[in-house]
Amino acid sequence: MIRFSRLSIFFFLLLPLGSFADSANDAIARATAAMVAGIPRAQADPLRPIFHVTSPAQWMNDPNGPIFYQGYYHLFYQLNPFGDGDGPKHWGHVRSRDLAKWEPLPIALAPSTEAGEAGVWSGCCTINDRGEPMIFYTSVAQGKSAFDHAEQWAATSDDDLIHWQKSPANPVLSEELHGGRKIYDWRDPFVFHDGKKTFLVAGGHLEKKARAAVNIYQAENSDLTKWIYRGVLFELPDPNTPTAECPNFFKLGDQWVLFVSPYGKVQYFIGDFDATTCRFKARAQGTLDYGSSFYAPNTMQLPDDRRLVWGWINGFPGGHGWNGCLSLPRLLSISRDGELHQQPAPQLTKLRGKPVEWRNLHLENHNAALTLPKTNTLEIQADLSLNTESIIEIKLKSGATDAQPIYITFNRTTLGVMDSRAPLQIGQKLSLRIFIDRSVLEVFANETVCLTKIIPPLDNNSTLEIHSFEDPATAKLVRAWPMQTIW
Ligand code: FRU
């Protein structure tokens, strides 16, 4: 756990180093003080995850601007430092050398209230053509509804991405760019490059409650402060989709991938991008996570061109002094048959403690309850060999007799995690990675299906039972590790 004293001293020490204007300094100091005041309560809460990225306290939502820069993985996130519910959005900040251990950093961006700004909403971080780190985000104005009016602003940093100055060129993109076209909920800029060209996509919808669309813009200067509108990159196939928040558009291998958050489960599309016409044609479509707690993901390009994604895990009970965390980092790839694969970042194995394991369990007559490591922060791996009709049931149960078990089931074509279902077509092998971090559960099945849920935490005396019905099945390996904190 982060200790309160270490963290608060850290925040206050860093603040005077800022070279930004006084009003920005004041706004960040006020936000920091409010957040630090919330730390003792947030950190004492037994629901609070310890190996997922969280804000030190208060409300957080979307991951913003993931970037690997000068040897650090940086993540920013939407933060309301003043309370554990929705409120004026700032950008919180953490970084890591190895994707396993993380370090909280000072709040990166606060609304410039003197310039009429009410919220610093989601966006991205990139390096402009002059080598300068640059954030793009949606600026929401005081007294205006983001549904009807938004601007895209930029900020630059000349140190280790810790202190940021808003661009004198703001707004760097405004609605006038669209000519006569009205775009509702216009937001969440994401910059990408293709050859020598730099593009930006932003989400929204073309009718009041319909025609979700991702819009595309092309940079006209190396500072990335001048842009032209190139039209609609992609309109979602179902015209009733209400919106397309937080678009991410990137190349994975030789294919283009688009993520959008449509107020429901996050959708991905795989297809081709024509950089001349600025249009995307999708060949395949899928769901990034089948739980109801994963939203607004954002991706990071790695130096070797691989890509990681983090989502916002939401749906926690209110009133605990904190709310929200980021998913574990997931490494993305496209399989030979054109499916999107997600695998927990390999570096997460550094957080594992000493495992317990069982091998070659015949599940049709396996009645023993396996004793898990004595903690409620766990990783469980289960490699199963199935027959055509096998039905599998995994039951995770606290020691307390009245505790409600967590069920993970598989019946030929469907993976079930508590009350959520996901289609899963497999051959004879089912490989599960299950992460339990107090009130967070993330399940990866055969790297193709992910399902994130909020759960009542297990206690420190939990067991695992695993059975097969209808047709025999074998657990080649079941292994469980206690997981350590990332802080
Ligand atoms: C997605 C979202 C974004 C917006 C941000 C505000 O969860 O609605 O579209 O920029 O949250 O916090």
Side-chain angles (χ1 to χ4, degrees):
M1 291 296 288
I2 318 170
R3 292 216 323 278
F4 166 52
S5 50
R6 201 181 82 206
L7 189 79
S8 46
I9 289 167
F10 175 80
F11 275 116
F12 286 119
L13 278 180
L14 273 156
L15 275 171
L17 299 177
S19 57
F20 37 88
D22 275 354
S23 49
N25 217 338
D26 290 351
I28 290 188
R30 273 195 306 277
T32 305
M35 189 177 59
V36 168
I39 289 177
R41 180 158 167 249
Q43 307 258 322
D45 184 46
L47 297 186
R48 187 178 161 77
I50 65 160
F51 68 89
H52 286 73
V53 168
T54 43
S55 165
Q58 314 295 34
W59 171 274
M60 66 180 287
N61 51 291
D62 315 355
N64 290 156
I67 188 166
F68 183 83
Y69 183 66
Q70 296 189 343
Y72 281 103
Y73 301 88
H74 287 264
L75 280 176
F76 302 87
Y77 54 87
Q78 287 283 280
L79 165 72
N80 168 22
F82 300 109
D84 61 6
D86 210 0
K89 294 300 161 56
H90 295 55
W91 277 37
H93 188 188
V94 289
R95 74 178 175 192
S96 168
R97 280 262 184 220
D98 61 0
L99 286 176
K101 290 287 176 187
W102 291 82
E103 179 188 352
L105 290 172
I107 292 172
L109 291 173
S112 303
T113 43
E114 74 292 351
E117 201 177 32
V120 176
W121 283 20
S122 287
C124 66
C125 184
T126 189
I127 308 298
N128 69 20
D129 298 344
R130 301 197 327 185
E132 224 175 5
M134 201 165 174
I135 280 175
F136 287 85
Y137 69 89
T138 299
S139 172
V140 175
Q142 289 162 15
K144 294 206 172 146
S145 147
F147 178 85
D148 274 325
H149 175 81
E151 290 176 344
Q152 316 308 328
W153 284 28
T156 54
S157 172
D158 51 16
D159 61 10
D160 293 335
L161 312 191
I162 289 174
H163 300 109
W164 292 85
Q165 297 82 41
K166 295 202 180 154
S167 167
N170 283 332
V172 286
L173 291 94
S174 59
E175 283 166 25
E176 283 77 71
L177 284 178
H178 303 135
R181 172 175 270 163
K182 175 72 188 162
I183 298 171
Y184 301 90
D185 282 315
W186 181 50
R187 58 175 173 259
D188 308 334
F190 177 88
V191 169
F192 70 97
H193 307 275
D194 188 51
K196 290 209 164 72
K197 296 178 184 166
T198 303
F199 297 100
L200 179 152
V201 288
H205 41 114
L206 306 177
E207 284 175 22
K208 272 201 167 164
K209 289 187 178 161
R211 295 190 59 201
V214 176
N215 293 277
I216 181 162
Y217 309 81
Q218 188 172 342
E220 292 227 281
N221 63 351
S222 58
D223 293 1
L224 308 186
T225 53
K226 290 206 173 80
W227 297 82
I228 50 166
Y229 181 45
R230 297 293 314 269
V232 173
L233 170 78
F234 185 67
E235 193 171 327
L236 271 75
D238 175 358
N240 295 320
T241 311
T243 196
E245 297 188 294
C246 300
N248 265 224
F249 190 56
F250 52 90
K251 211 168 178 188
L252 202 56
D254 56 0
Q255 321 239 17
W256 284 85
V257 179
L258 176 68
F259 288 172
V260 292
S261 295
Y263 290 159
K265 293 189 174 55
V266 179
Q267 300 298 301
Y268 70 80
F269 298 88
I270 301 177
D272 300 312
F273 172 55
D274 181 337
T276 311
T277 59
C278 281
R279 297 297 175 266
F280 171 65
K281 247 204 196 111
R283 258 178 285 112
Q285 175 178 1
T287 298
L288 214 56
D289 190 293
Y290 286 89
S292 43
S293 288
F294 179 98
Y295 197 65
N298 221 320
T299 65
M300 178 191 286
Q301 185 176 11
L302 301 178
D304 61 6
D305 258 1
R306 291 185 306 164
R307 202 168 269 267
L308 293 169
V309 63
W310 286 261
W312 162 40
I313 299 185
N314 57 64
F316 295 94
H320 287 244
W322 68 279
N323 202 315
C325 72
L326 302 188
S327 71
L328 295 172
R330 303 174 177 182
L331 189 61
L332 299 172
S333 57
I334 296 180
S335 68
R336 270 203 215 120
D337 46 4
E339 262 182 330
L340 186 76
H341 276 207
Q342 303 175 69
Q343 160 200 356
Q347 291 88 339
L348 293 170
T349 57
K350 285 194 181 173
L351 299 170
R352 291 170 171 171
K354 198 166 166 287
V356 293
E357 69 172 48
W358 303 273
R359 283 176 186 271
N360 298 320
L361 309 176
H362 294 286
L363 301 180
E364 59 281 12
N365 50 18
H366 183 79
N367 293 320
L370 309 170
T371 304
L372 291 168
K374 300 211 163 303
T375 171
N376 60 8
T377 60
L378 293 159
E379 180 187 345
I380 300 167
Q381 176 190 348
D383 292 335
L384 312 178
S385 211
L386 314 180
N387 285 301
T388 335
E389 301 293 313
S390 306
I391 294 179
I392 301 291
E393 181 188 271
I394 296 176
K395 179 176 166 185
L396 294 159
K397 192 175 172 304
S398 289
T401 40
D402 56 346
Q404 275 296 320
I406 296 163
Y407 286 104
I408 299 173
T409 55
F410 178 72
N411 72 1
R412 299 180 192 109
T413 55
T414 309
L415 179 81
V417 179
M418 302 160 71
D419 58 349
S420 293
R421 300 282 170 270
L424 180 61
Q425 302 290 346
I426 60 170
Q428 287 175 331
K429 287 198 182 341
L430 175 61
S431 171
L432 293 173
R433 301 272 301 272
I434 302 165
F435 294 88
I436 297 170
D437 188 2
R438 296 180 163 180
S439 60
V440 172
L441 170 69
E442 273 187 86
V443 178
F444 295 75
N446 284 5
E447 293 183 6
T448 49
V449 160
C450 292
L451 225 151
T452 302
K453 301 287 289 182
I454 305 303
I455 54 167
L458 295 173
D459 64 21
N460 292 344
N461 289 302
S462 304
T463 54
L464 180 152
E465 288 174 43
I466 174 164
H467 304 284
S468 69
F469 305 98
E470 305 288 328
D471 220 353
T474 312
K476 297 272 176 220
L477 177 68
V478 177
R479 207 180 252 165
W481 295 265
M483 292 292 273
Q484 293 156 14
T485 174
I486 56 172
W487 304 112

